[in-house]
Amino acid sequence: MSVSITADHVHAAARRLHGVAHRTPVATSRTLDGRVGAEVFVKCENLQRTGSFKFRGAYNAIARLGPGALRHGVVAFSSGNHAQAVALAAAMVGTRAVLVMPTDTPELKLLAAQDHGAEVVTFDRYTEDRFAITARLAAERHLTVIPPYDHPDVIAGAGSTAVELLDQVGELDALVLPLGGGGQLAGCATLVKALAPGIRVIGVESLAGNKNRRSLDAGTPVRIHVPRTIADGVTGEVTGELTFPIIRALADDVTSVDDVEILVAMGFLFDRMKLVAEPTGALGVAALLAGKVPLAGRRIGVVISGGNVGVDRFCELLGRPRAARVPL
Amino acid sequence: MSVSITADHVHAAARRLHGVAHRTPVATSRTLDGRVGAEVFVKCENLQRTGSFKFRGAYNAIARLGPGALRHGVVAFSSGNHAQAVALAAAMVGTRAVLVMPTDTPELKLLAAQDHGAEVVTFDRYTEDRFAITARLAAERHLTVIPPYDHPDVIAGAGSTAVELLDQVGELDALVLPLGGGGQLAGCATLVKALAPGIRVIGVESLAGNKNRRSLDAGTPVRIHVPRTIADGVTGEVTGELTFPIIRALADDVTSVDDVEILVAMGFLFDRMKLVAEPTGALGVAALLAGKVPLAGRRIGVVISGGNVGVDRFCELLGRPRAARVPL
């Protein structure tokens, strides 16, 4: 594909999101700095509306639609952060959102989407094809599809994270980001490399789902098996059509962490920084704590991309066996 | 006692803490607003240095010491948030901190204090008197005692939370604060009532430890039994000597929540706002969610005073029984 995304698109998205998305805080910790051996600035997109950076891209894409498209509405297939983001963004723009979700989506996620007034269409993930259902809905009801990352406006919106971070902390030597579909990495890299090409941009994948790393090594997109990882936000099998070429051109490195390293980071963020990160959201911090980003003494920005892990799941992952429970 | 604390003291503390304490973010949530039926601004002192607002008071008190006092150092008895606050503040000012802690203090808390270079003196809480030990250490080693709340500079420092919050969000109709020893409530009420007396100031106690409420009702300080509550930051048996008269004069209301209401608030803050609150830190939000603050449609500021609850304790309190555990 030949769609080009420029820093201007990202800046325009940042302006569009001003006063709409949260300007999320940047957290710092002497303990984190000590562990990493660098000065670390944690951009808290877990504190973004709907609990992840996905709101930025969804809103930017929906807000740019024309009146005709807005009269009919939008459709997205996702049971995760993108779904919540599209639901809220559509409600804020004043259009209808249809979300295509598997029948076995947790009740809590269905309700959260419906909270924002979205219509949920369920499908059987074993017998039905979500792409076909989404395409049919789009055609029949004239809905605009809002993809989770492979869309210029979604990428530009996600890149606004970097605009804000640089504005908040000034110069950086590196920017470290969780990497799945690659929307945020592509958007942020586009901005950073235009504005301050000296900043190293580093993506962090789940080791089990390192499709970008393997595709970079192979020189061409590689399809991987559905990864078995706690990082449920990055379980895709292929790299992005739009995002991968940008990542190949602009990212300085793509590294990975395993599930144990993710859990260490989630525990550290909770205990030491009082922040809730979902497994995928903790990928960047996990890489720093595991020493995968060798930038001693430098100024490093790292994004927590999301915090949507419920209490129950969090404690399943990180709580001690119940036998050790103490009475209130 | 006749020590008077004025809004000027609080403003001076805010200036002293500028660039030293974190300017903690204010979080908002449409879901929280919907549940409470008001516009709520959550001041995140759980994201303060050392994980609680206590850093403000400790630093303000230590930074005001003269060169003679700083040469000898400071002493505090606490195994909780005040201890961490004094340890870090002393390190930042460049003086020595001695912390008097029970022998059964959790290892993690001992290590955290020592991380900041503090000296820990342990005592047997069943046979020894912490006041006597602290006084003896102070006398023998010329250390200045930094009390957890009953000190003008500690109160003024804690009040700087309100200076920041008003600067961040503008006008408010009410300010809701966790209440234990009363340092933060006294400091914030002093500031608020001088600056904008129309703002209602409301303290929230643990129901089992409602010594301020009972003392207000009795018209004189009342001693209560050691409260059995998960809110381990507010287990004192008596009201503050300095703080209680200020609270009596300036607070508009003192209400309370029980442990279940605290747990609901901790779970809500985690799931919906991605914030870690310790039980005591969640008192204010718990009162809002439980409908104890009848201010429908108004603009309400509420402080999360601290986030020092470890993963293990959090999951003991809020995790589901281990039988429900799902595999990674």
Side-chain angles (χ1 to χ4, degrees):
Chain A
M1 296 175 79
S2 64
V3 182
S4 77
I5 296 149
T6 67
D8 285 347
H9 294 138
V10 180
H11 280 297
R15 283 191 298 274
R16 200 169 289 117
L17 289 162
H18 183 78
V20 174
H22 289 323
R23 184 179 170 90
T24 54
V26 175
T28 58
S29 154
R30 286 160 64 111
T31 310
L32 179 61
D33 289 357
R35 294 276 180 91
V36 176
E39 204 175 347
V40 183
F41 301 90
V42 182
K43 178 70 170 162
C44 297
E45 285 295 298
N46 54 330
L47 304 182
Q48 186 50 267
R49 285 187 189 281
T50 70
S52 88
F53 79 98
K54 290 283 187 183
F55 176 75
R56 295 177 182 271
Y59 184 90
N60 190 50
I62 295 172
R64 290 200 63 196
L65 296 177
L70 289 178
R71 204 163 46 242
H72 290 107
V74 299
V75 60
F77 60 81
S78 164
S79 56
N81 291 340
H82 182 59
Q84 312 299 333
V86 168
L88 177 61
M92 289 173 77
V93 171
T95 191
R96 159 169 290 270
V98 179
L99 300 173
V100 180
M101 293 181 164
T103 43
D104 56 356
T105 300
E107 179 87 3
L108 203 68
K109 293 196 170 182
L110 291 173
L111 291 175
Q114 290 164 344
D115 260 4
H116 297 305
E119 173 188 344
V120 175
V121 174
T122 56
F123 71 99
D124 182 335
R125 67 161 95 220
Y126 302 104
T127 62
E128 297 178 279
D129 175 11
R130 59 186 186 174
F131 293 93
I133 292 170
T134 305
R136 198 189 65 229
L137 278 166
E140 285 175 3
R141 295 168 58 176
H142 309 287
L143 303 171
T144 305
V145 179
I146 307 294
Y149 46 85
D150 259 337
H151 186 294
D153 295 333
V154 173
I155 294 170
S160 68
T161 309
V163 177
E164 264 183 36
L165 177 60
L166 292 177
D167 186 48
Q168 288 168 308
V169 306
E171 289 181 20
L172 286 176
D173 297 305
L175 177 59
V176 179
L177 296 160
L179 171 56
Q184 192 172 42
L185 186 60
C188 289
T190 298
L191 184 281
V192 161
K193 292 300 178 181
L195 214 65
I199 301 179
R200 288 177 62 81
V201 177
I202 299 161
V204 183
E205 296 186 293
S206 152
L207 181 61
N210 64 344
K211 54 188 175 289
N212 286 283
R213 175 74 269 162
R214 289 172 60 184
S215 299
L216 288 170
D217 290 345
T220 186
V222 167
R223 172 177 290 270
I224 62 170
H225 293 294
V226 178
R228 288 181 60 86
T229 168
I230 59 172
D232 55 3
V234 289
T235 53
E237 297 152 62
V238 290
T239 54
E241 281 183 49
L242 269 184
T243 56
F244 181 69
I246 299 172
I247 291 167
R248 180 158 56 185
L250 300 181
D252 294 280
D253 195 13
V254 169
T255 185
S256 63
V257 291
D258 64 27
D259 281 0
V260 172
E261 290 165 331
I262 292 172
L263 291 174
V264 168
M266 290 173 70
F268 181 92
L269 287 167
F270 185 105
D271 277 344
R272 298 307 190 110
M273 299 184 72
K274 324 305 168 194
L275 292 169
V276 179
E278 63 186 89
T280 305
L283 283 167
V285 173
L288 293 180
L289 288 173
K292 303 280 175 83
V293 180
L295 286 161
R298 301 305 183 88
R299 289 168 62 88
I300 305 179
V302 60
V303 177
I304 300 178
S305 55
N308 288 318
V309 55
V311 167
D312 291 341
R313 178 63 176 157
F314 180 84
C315 291
E316 279 163 11
L317 291 172
L318 284 158
R320 275 198 293 200
R322 206 60 178 186
R325 182 172 184 149
V326 299
L328 300 192
Chain B
M1 294 174 80
S2 64
V3 181
S4 78
I5 296 149
T6 68
D8 284 347
H9 294 139
V10 180
H11 279 297
R15 284 192 298 274
R16 200 169 287 118
L17 289 162
H18 184 77
V20 174
H22 289 323
R23 184 178 170 91
T24 54
V26 176
T28 57
S29 154
R30 287 160 63 112
T31 309
L32 179 60
D33 289 357
R35 293 277 180 91
V36 176
E39 203 175 348
V40 183
F41 302 90
V42 182
K43 178 68 170 165
C44 297
E45 286 295 298
N46 54 330
L47 304 181
Q48 186 51 267
R49 285 189 189 280
T50 70
S52 87
F53 79 97
K54 290 282 188 183
F55 176 75
R56 295 177 182 270
Y59 184 90
N60 190 51
I62 295 172
R64 289 201 64 196
L65 296 177
L70 289 178
R71 205 163 44 244
H72 290 106
V74 299
V75 59
F77 60 81
S78 164
S79 55
N81 291 340
H82 183 58
Q84 312 299 332
V86 167
L88 178 60
M92 289 173 77
V93 171
T95 190
R96 160 169 289 271
V98 180
L99 300 173
V100 180
M101 292 180 163
T103 43
D104 56 357
T105 300
E107 180 87 3
L108 203 67
K109 293 197 170 182
L110 290 173
L111 291 174
Q114 288 164 345
D115 260 3
H116 298 304
E119 174 188 344
V120 175
V121 174
T122 56
F123 71 99
D124 182 335
R125 67 159 97 220
Y126 302 104
T127 61
E128 298 179 279
D129 174 10
R130 60 187 186 175
F131 292 94
I133 292 170
T134 305
R136 199 190 64 229
L137 278 167
E140 284 175 5
R141 295 167 59 177
H142 308 288
L143 304 170
T144 305
V145 179
I146 308 293
Y149 46 85
D150 259 337
H151 185 294
D153 294 334
V154 173
I155 294 171
S160 68
T161 308
V163 177
E164 266 183 35
L165 177 61
L166 292 178
D167 186 49
Q168 289 167 308
V169 306
E171 289 181 21
L172 286 176
D173 297 304
L175 177 60
V176 179
L177 295 159
L179 171 57
Q184 193 172 42
L185 186 60
C188 289
T190 298
L191 185 280
V192 162
K193 291 301 179 181
L195 215 65
I199 301 179
R200 288 177 62 80
V201 177
I202 299 162
V204 182
E205 297 186 291
S206 152
L207 180 61
N210 63 345
K211 54 188 173 290
N212 287 283
R213 175 74 268 162
R214 289 172 60 184
S215 299
L216 288 171
D217 291 345
T220 186
V222 167
R223 173 177 288 271
I224 63 171
H225 292 294
V226 178
R228 287 181 62 85
T229 168
I230 59 171
D232 55 3
V234 289
T235 54
E237 297 151 63
V238 289
T239 54
E241 281 183 50
L242 269 184
T243 55
F244 181 68
I246 298 172
I247 292 166
R248 180 160 54 185
L250 300 181
D252 294 280
D253 195 13
V254 169
T255 185
S256 63
V257 290
D258 64 28
D259 282 0
V260 171
E261 289 164 332
I262 292 171
L263 290 173
V264 167
M266 290 173 70
F268 180 92
L269 288 167
F270 184 105
D271 277 344
R272 297 307 190 112
M273 299 184 71
K274 324 307 169 191
L275 293 169
V276 179
E278 62 185 270
T280 304
L283 283 168
V285 174
L288 292 181
L289 287 173
K292 303 280 176 81
V293 180
L295 287 161
R298 302 305 184 86
R299 289 169 62 88
I300 304 179
V302 60
V303 177
I304 300 178
S305 56
N308 288 318
V309 56
V311 168
D312 292 340
R313 177 63 176 158
F314 180 84
C315 292
E316 281 163 8
L317 291 173
L318 283 159
R320 275 199 295 202
R322 207 61 178 185
R325 182 173 184 150
V326 299
L328 299 192

